[in-house]
């Protein structure tokens, strides 16, 4: 697998229930957007290395929804679901995000796809959690590990 030269920046502002992620890709915005829209592509990159992703639903359209299950090498299952509220082609999406292991804690995520020119794209994700404790729980879950590995696999997918 190729390693990336594009780091992911994850910020959790003190005292605020937000997580901000930013990452650049050496691929056109349409390709990066499509890798978020097409469930067959999403399965190949989203989440930590070594996990199998089973997608039950993935409708990346306004008022669409999703549910998927990550299965780790030991066979443990982690289910996630949400609704895509707004989706603007190659620009923007708003979704809810719920880890079913912590029901009733739903984040609202805004994803911006910035065309940087020269076939490059920046993704910016702003996640708002209902409480600071919920946000801190997400940070403590080692989400940074899965985000980094997933984006590295997305790099390889986009380069192929």
């Amino acid at each position: 697998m190729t390693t990336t030269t594009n780091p992911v920046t994850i910020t959790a502002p003190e005292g605020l229930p937000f997580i901000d992620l930013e990452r650049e890709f050496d691929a056109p915005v349409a390709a990066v957007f499509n890798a978020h829209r097409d469930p067959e592509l999403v399965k190949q990159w989203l989440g930590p290395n070594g996990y199998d992703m089973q997608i039950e639903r993935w409708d990346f359209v306004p008022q669409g929804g999703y549910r998927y299950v990550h299965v780790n090498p030991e066979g443990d299952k982690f289910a996630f679901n949400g609704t895509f509220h707004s989706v603007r082609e190659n620009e923007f999406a708003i979704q809810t995000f719920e880890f079913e292991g912590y029901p009733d804690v739903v984040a609202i995520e805004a994803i911006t796809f910035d065309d940087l020119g020269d076939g490059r794209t920046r993704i910016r994700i702003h996640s708002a959690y209902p409480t600071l404790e919920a946000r801190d729980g997400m940070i403590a879950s080692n989400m940074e590990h899965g985000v980094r590995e997933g984006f590295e696999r997305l790099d390889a997918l986009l380069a192929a």
Side-chain angles (χ1 to χ4, degrees), residues 13-52:
E14 182 153 347
L16 297 173
F18 306 138
I19 298 174
D20 290 301
L21 291 89
E22 192 169 298
R23 173 68 152 67
E24 293 182 8
F25 294 89
D26 299 321
V29 70
V32 176
F33 185 86
N34 191 54
H36 284 75
R37 173 179 42 208
D38 182 338
E40 290 306 311
L41 297 177
V42 171
K43 280 170 67 166
Q44 296 178 52
W45 70 266
L46 185 64
N49 290 341
Y51 283 49
D52 179 51

Side-chain angles (χ1 to χ4, degrees), residues 50-120:
Y51 283 49
D52 179 51
M53 184 175 187
Q54 302 164 354
I55 296 180
E56 292 180 12
R57 178 177 178 214
W58 193 270
D59 300 314
F60 195 66
V61 297
Q63 291 79 53
Y66 67 91
R67 184 172 191 276
Y68 63 88
V69 178
H70 275 132
V71 183
N72 71 11
E74 294 76 36
D76 301 315
K77 295 183 177 185
F78 307 93
F80 303 86
N81 73 77
T83 300
F84 298 112
H85 291 267
S86 300
V87 177
R88 288 198 310 267
E89 181 97 10
N90 299 332
E91 289 181 18
F92 184 74
I94 293 178
Q95 69 184 41
T96 59
F97 175 84
E98 181 178 13
F99 169 48
E100 293 178 10
Y102 284 97
D104 305 326
V105 175
V106 179
I108 299 173
E109 299 183 336
I111 307 168
T112 304
F113 299 83
D114 296 322
D115 187 341
L116 300 176
D118 295 323
R120 300 193 74 243

